Every structure is written in structure tokens, then in C-alpha cells.
Amino acid sequence: MKLKAALPLILFFALAVLFYFMLGKINQGEYNPRDIPTEFIGRSAPEFSLPDLLKPEQSVRPSDFKGKPWLFNVWGTWCPECWREHEFLVLLHKQGVPIVGLNWRDEAPEAKKMLARLGNPFVAIGFDPTSDVAIDWGVYGAPETFLIDAEGIIRVKHKGAMTPQIWQEQFQSYFNLEAKP
């Protein structure tokens, strides 16, 4: 009789443990809901020409960055994960990692305000309020980061915030960085 009464509680705790385990694994391997395959790996980076967010009289084009590996980071002020990864992007920029930003579906004044407040980790920022470039690059959401090699070929695409662990596992080997204080 006591076991029958405790059965819902036992079932509840079993489900709680299962959900806790799944949440812990959700950003890893086959459980990652953001790990959508991309057809762009191994292909040339799609060309575009957008006005620079901070210097609208200048254009941002992927072909301008050939010759060394660089990151292409899709972000927007409306994206909470973009705010979380921003400090790490600033750190990468200080270490010499060239990061080209794509400010996606944003308001220019809000984006400029965020960069003024938190620092600017980008060497250039394409302003894409209508998603023209994001669609061509197969962007599903922000943030997303692409690694483009010296020949202009996309080697890695990461969906979600850039973290030190993601950086070390997927991106760092493409860059020859010297330790900077």
C-alpha cells in the first residue's frame, strides 16, 4: 500500500533525473538541438558587399580578408547569447584574432550603443537589417560563427555563443597566436 502511494513520487524523481541528464548533454554531440548540418563547410565564403555599421561610407566584403584565417560572427543586440559571448570576442580580438561581424536584423543606433558600452571586437561590421546576407550564408539564428581560412574557404560553423571551450576545440588550431598580456 505504501509503495503504491509513493509510486508517483518515484516516477517524478526518475523523470527529474532524466531531464537533468538531458539538459546537461543538450549542447554536446548528438543532443545539441542547434547542431544543424551546413552545406557551406568546404565551400568558398559567399561574397557580399554591405555598408560598415560604424563607417557606412565603407563596404565590408569577405574577399577583403583573404590571406589569413578570420572569423565571421553573426550577432544582434536583440540576442541574449550575443551579449554573453561579447566579452570573449573582445578577448579574442585583443589576442589578434580578426573577427568580421554581421550585425543582423538590428537597429544601428542600438548596435553602436552596445559596442560603445562593451567594446568593439570586430575589424569590420557588415550591417544587414533585412537579412539579405544572413540568408545567403544559411544563418539560422544568432549568434553563429564561421571560420574562413586564408583561401576564403569555410572550415567551421558554430551555432550558439562562442566560449573558451568551443574556441579551443574547434577554432584555435587555425590561428597562430602569440600570448599577449
Side-chain angles (χ1 to χ4, degrees):
M1 187 70 159
K2 287 184 179 181
L3 181 61
K4 189 175 181 182
L7 196 55
L9 190 59
I10 293 170
L11 184 61
F12 171 78
F13 281 113
L15 287 174
V17 169
L18 179 66
F19 285 127
Y20 180 78
F21 176 76
M22 292 300 293
L23 287 174
K25 296 284 187 183
I26 203 158
N27 286 326
Q28 303 171 6
E30 64 191 77
Y31 297 110
N32 187 346
R34 293 174 168 240
D35 193 20
I36 301 167
T38 180
E39 62 191 51
F40 291 95
I41 302 300
R43 292 186 177 180
S44 294
E47 188 62 28
F48 64 82
S49 181
L50 286 175
D52 189 292
L53 174 70
L54 300 177
K55 301 171 195 161
E57 68 282 359
Q58 295 181 8
S59 295
V60 177
R61 296 180 300 264
S63 56
D64 292 342
F65 302 97
K66 276 190 173 178
K68 59 183 177 181
W70 54 283
L71 300 180
F72 184 59
N73 178 264
V74 181
W75 65 284
T77 58
W78 46 267
C79 158
E81 287 294 312
C82 299
W83 286 81
R84 268 183 237 146
E85 77 170 357
H86 195 85
E87 182 179 350
F88 187 65
L89 294 180
V90 170
L91 177 68
L92 291 176
H93 176 71
K94 288 178 180 174
Q95 292 177 351
V97 175
I99 307 171
V100 176
L102 180 69
N103 183 240
W104 181 42
R105 291 184 168 187
D106 214 344
E107 300 290 330
E110 292 299 316
K112 291 175 184 177
K113 197 183 309 180
M114 177 180 171
L115 296 174
R117 187 171 142 210
L118 301 178
N120 181 3
F122 305 108
V123 294
I125 306 168
F127 183 55
D128 187 22
T130 57
S131 301
D132 295 333
V133 170
I135 290 170
D136 289 345
W137 279 68
V139 172
Y140 293 97
E144 287 189 11
T145 303
F146 298 80
L147 182 137
I148 296 89
D149 71 11
E151 287 75 40
I153 307 297
I154 297 174
R155 296 296 174 195
V156 177
K157 178 181 180 181
H158 172 70
K159 295 152 288 280
M162 177 68 73
T163 64
Q165 181 181 355
I166 297 295
W167 169 255
Q168 289 174 347
E169 291 174 358
Q170 299 182 29
F171 294 89
Q172 189 172 19
S173 64
Y174 289 90
F175 295 89
N176 185 17
L177 302 176
E178 295 179 24
K180 292 184 179 180

